[in-house]
Amino acid sequence: MQSASHIKILILDDDTFMLKLLTRMLTKQGYATVSSCDNGVDALKLIDHADTCPDLILLDLNMPDMDGIEFVRYLVDRQFHGSLILVSGEDERMLRTAEKLVHAHKIPMLGYLHKPVNPDKLSEIMKKWEPPSLENKPQPNKKIYRAEELQSAISNHELMNYYQPKVSVATGEVIGVETLVRWHHPTDGLVFPDRFIGIAEENHLINELTAFVLTDALAQAKIWHQSGLTLRVAINVSMDNLTSLDFQDLVVNMVTEAGLSPQKIVLEVTESQLMGADTRIPLEILTRLRLKRFHLSIDDFGTGHSSLAQLRDIPFDELKIDQGFVHRAWTDDTLRAIYDASLSMAKQLGMEVVAEGVEDQNDWELLRRTGCDLAQGNFISRPLQAADFSNWMEEWQNRLRNGLIAGFL
Ligand code: G
Ligand code: G
Ligand code: MN
C-alpha cells in the first residue's frame, strides 16, 4: 500500500468548523495531504487539475448552493475515479438514499458518517479502503481523443480485447466470456472504453471498431473451441452499429467465415439506448440475427427507462442485471427489490439471467440463494487478456474444489 501521506483527500462542507475538525482527525490518522473547500464550485476546480484531483472526497450532503447530490452529478460528468464518503447530519434513511444514488453512478462509496463525526467510525471506514496504487491508478489526464487518433489506433492494432468470464452460479462451470475492448495507447497507457466508444459512435468509427473487436473475438473463440473449451463469446454492440442493415451482413459473414456457430456468439445491447432511439431498423436487425440463432443479450438492465412491453417484444435470450443492482443487494432493500424484480421478470420471459458486478462472497451467495443463472464480476475474475485465461481457469477450478460452491448448498 502507498503511504497514507501521499493520498490526496478533499473535504467539502459549508461548515468551516467541520472542515477543521475532519482535517485534524485525518491528520492524526496519518493522512497529510488533506485539502478542504466550503463550496462545490471551488472543489470542482481542484478536481479539474490532475495535481490537485483527490483520491478520496469526504462530502457533506446538505450545503446551501450546490448540494452534495448535485456535486455527485458533476463528479460523474468528470469521470471522477476516486472514492467518496458521505458526511451528513441528515437521518439514516436520507443517507442511505444518497448512498444508493452514488452507487447507481458507479462511484465507489466507502461509507457514510453521521454528524457529529465519531473519529473511530472515520478510522474504521478508512481502514477498509484500499487506496489506488501508483501503478494502476487511472490516468489523471482527461484528454479527449480526436477521431483521427482513434482511427489510427484501430488501423495500428492498438486496441486489444480483454475477456471477462461468465460462470454458472449452480455449478461454477465457465459458460462464456464478455469481450471488453481497451486501448493500449503508446504514451497514455491503458485507456478504458468509456473514453473512446462515444468518440467512435460520434465519428462513424463504431462499425470499424466493432469489426476489429469481433475479428479478434472470433479468432479467440476458435482457439478456445479447438482446445475443447466451447465458450460462448459475447461482444458489446452499440445502437449506432444497428442503424444500417450492413451490420447484420458483416456479423453473419464474419461468423460464417470463422466457421463458428452463431449460437456461440452473444451480442450485448444496452437497453437504455435501445428504448430511446427509433427502434425499427435496430429491431429488424436484431430479429434477423436472432433468426440466424445468434444469442441476444440486453445489457445494463435496470439503468434505462424500459417499457416492459417492448422488452417482451424483443427476442432477447439473456438479461444482464446492471452491477449497480447486484453488488450489495444482499444487504440493501432497495437494490434487492430491483434485483428480485429483474430476475423474476427475466425468468417469466424465459431469458437467462446474468448478474454483473459480483464483487464479493456475499454477492455470490445471494445469486446462489435466488437462483440466478450466471455470474460475472471481479469476485470471479477481472477482465483478462486471452493469454491469462488458462491460468485463471486453473485457479477457478481450485476455488471450486475448495468449497466455493459446496459451502453454500
Ligand atoms: O471494462 P469496462 O470499462 O470495459 O467497459 C465499459 C463499457 O464499455 C461497458 O459498458 C461496455 O459495454 C463498453 N464496451 C466495452 N467494449 C466495447 C465494445 O467493443 N463496443 C462497445 N460498443 N462498447 C464496449
Ligand atoms: O458492458 P458493461 O456495461 O456491462 O461493462 C461491464 C463493465 O463493468 C466493464 O467496465 C467492466 O470492467 C466492469 N466490471 C466488471 N466486473 C466488475 C465488478 O465486479 N465490479 C465493478 N465495479 N465493475 C466491474
Ligand atoms: Mn456488456
Side-chain angles (χ1 to χ4, degrees), residues 270-291:
T270 298
E271 172 209 27
S272 52
Q273 300 167 340
L274 187 60
M275 299 309 166
D278 174 4
T279 54
R280 276 166 307 177
I281 293 181
L283 267 187
E284 180 179 337
I285 298 176
L286 289 176
T287 308
R288 285 163 69 178
L289 286 167
R290 181 68 178 71
L291 280 171

Side-chain angles (χ1 to χ4, degrees), residues 94-219:
M94 181 67 200
L95 273 168
R96 285 170 58 86
T97 310
E99 188 184 19
K100 266 164 226 152
L101 254 164
V102 174
H103 273 296
H105 285 308
K106 301 181 181 172
I107 294 182
M109 166 136 169
L110 304 182
Y112 48 81
L113 290 166
H114 291 283
K115 289 184 186 175
V117 174
N118 174 340
D120 294 338
K121 184 81 206 292
L122 173 62
S123 140
E124 190 185 304
I125 293 180
M126 295 300 289
K127 274 189 198 130
K128 279 193 303 190
W129 183 44
E130 272 186 45
S133 71
L134 288 174
E135 307 86 74
N136 53 26
K137 192 170 172 160
Q139 317 95 13
N141 82 69
K142 295 275 155 41
K143 188 164 124 191
I144 310 251
Y145 294 103
R146 284 177 297 115
E148 303 84 76
E149 291 173 280
L150 183 57
Q151 170 75 70
S152 72
I154 301 172
S155 315
N156 298 334
H157 293 212
E158 286 167 19
L159 299 187
M160 175 129 183
N161 285 347
Y162 282 59
Y163 300 94
Q164 188 174 40
K166 294 180 180 175
V167 302
S168 157
V169 175
T171 65
E173 188 190 350
V174 185
I175 304 295
V177 293
E178 173 177 5
T179 309
L180 293 157
V181 68
R182 275 102 179 78
W183 179 358
H184 285 215
H185 193 285
T187 51
D188 298 346
L190 197 62
V191 181
F192 283 79
D194 55 351
R195 306 264 308 276
F196 59 86
I197 294 293
I199 295 165
E201 288 171 346
E202 284 155 22
N203 295 282
H204 306 288
L205 291 171
I206 193 69
N207 275 343
E208 202 179 327
L209 183 147
T210 306
F212 185 87
V213 169
L214 185 61
T215 307
D216 276 9
L218 293 177

Side-chain angles (χ1 to χ4, degrees), residues 65 74 77 112 135 151 162 171 185 228 249 256 315 328 382:
D65 296 319
Y74 290 118
D77 289 347
Y112 48 81
E135 307 86 74
Q151 170 75 70
Y162 282 59
T171 65
H185 193 285
D249 298 332
T256 313
R328 298 182 63 265
R382 295 177 180 283

